[in-house]
Amino acid sequence: MIKISKKSQYGLRAMVCLAKHYRKKEVCSTKLISEIEGIPFDFLEKIISQLERAKLVKGKKGVQGGYILSMPPKKISVNDVVSVLEENKKPVNCALCARIKKCSAKNVWSKLNDSLNKTLNSIKLSDLIK
Amino acid sequence: MIKISKKSQYGLRAMVCLAKHYRKKEVCSTKLISEIEGIPFDFLEKIISQLERAKLVKGKKGVQGGYILSMPPKKISVNDVVSVLEENKKPVNCALCARIKKCSAKNVWSKLNDSLNKTLNSIKLSDLIK
DNA sequence: GATAAGCCCGACAAGATTAGTCGGTTTTTT
DNA sequence: AAAAAACCGACTAATCTTGTCGGGCTTATC
């Protein structure tokens, strides 16, 4: 039914990692994150650059470069992160629901979606650093 | 991130269809359901037999046979249906979470899981027939 | 100003999963 | 007996996930 992709899992963990570095205002390199979190480097790079295009993180090029959150951890929710990484992916993409007003299950999926969003919006990166 | 499989979508719609027939105590054939709901017949057969093995529906063989809910629609939740069809599938199957007590994201996924279960448990088949 | 670290980008590929098909057997009503 | 329908397992096509790879661009440091 429901599966959180590795991409989202990795992405969130990377963001938490960046959140931890945020107070020092230091950038953190992809390499370091991948080592700390045990995430395949090449894959992580791809994930982070997606987060960058979405303006959730800022990159600094060159030696001693890396990434830093573009907002304080308090301002970034899990939903912000996950919805970027799972763009154009809705819980249900049902042709029938689109066509028929009264698909019996339609309400179910929209309620599900709401509760999902509510839950993920309520958790901020700041909640995840201890 | 999250996707409701066609299997679950079809399965739920089939169950709602059966719920509508339930008060007449009549069985309803796979063929009929597939026509009403526009679900590929062979695929539906597979789905329903999975629901049968889970004792959510009962089959009656032979001419004029078909399926009927094994409980009143009020007693069957969307979660009952979906969790059968998505057996052994958890939101997150994270090796890290299993190993490390304090994976930063662990809490997120378990909260997510709780809220999804709660939502899906609260909706019964009886709520979906109008 | 050369070098190396690191960001940035797109194409590719293996593996897993989903969605669906098919052929056949058994049971039961007519 | 014939037909309708449940029941079963093996197979396949397509899609999605999870990476990998090769290279180009930018910048701090020697």
Side-chain angles (χ1 to χ4, degrees), chain A:
Chain A
M1 151 179 69
I2 254 178
K3 208 189 130 210
I4 305 298
S5 64
K6 288 276 184 217
K7 195 176 171 188
S8 288
Q9 294 179 45
Y10 290 162
L12 180 59
R13 269 160 54 204
M15 288 296 275
V16 172
C17 190
L18 288 177
K20 284 174 186 163
H21 282 76
Y22 183 80
R23 63 189 175 87
K24 289 180 260 168
K25 301 286 177 194
E26 280 170 357
V27 297
C28 183
S29 73
T30 305
K31 183 155 178 273
L32 185 56
I33 299 173
S34 88
E35 279 163 4
I36 293 175
E37 294 289 333
I39 299 171
F41 176 79
D42 287 318
F43 195 22
L44 181 59
E45 226 177 18
K46 199 156 122 180
I47 293 168
I48 297 192
S49 66
Q50 204 173 341
L51 294 169
E52 205 225 356
R53 277 188 295 266
K55 314 273 184 204
L56 289 179
V57 302
K58 272 181 288 196
K60 183 175 170 245
K61 287 185 174 181
V63 176
Q64 300 288 13
Y67 289 98
I68 189 169
L69 297 185
S70 43
M71 286 171 279
K74 215 171 197 166
K75 300 258 184 185
I76 303 177
S77 75
V78 174
N79 201 39
D80 294 331
V81 177
V82 166
S83 63
V84 162
L85 298 176
E86 313 285 333
E87 56 179 352
N88 70 19
K89 206 172 308 168
K90 287 176 190 166
V92 169
N93 202 339
C94 169
L96 191 69
C97 284
R99 243 180 32 237
I100 299 181
K101 272 185 197 163
K102 271 203 161 187
C103 169
S104 57
K106 199 176 183 179
N107 257 355
V108 173
W109 310 134
S110 79
K111 273 191 191 179
L112 183 62
N113 203 25
D114 290 348
S115 101
L116 178 75
N117 282 336
K118 201 175 163 191
T119 303
L120 293 187
N121 269 321
S122 74
I123 308 174
K124 312 293 179 188
L125 293 186
S126 52
D127 301 322
L128 300 175
I129 35 181
K130 280 161 201 164

Side-chain angles (χ1 to χ4, degrees), chain B residues 31-48:
Chain B
K31 184 154 177 273
L32 184 57
I33 299 174
S34 90
E35 279 163 5
I36 294 175
E37 294 289 333
I39 298 170
F41 176 80
D42 287 317
F43 195 22
L44 181 58
E45 226 178 16
K46 200 156 121 177
I47 293 168
I48 297 192

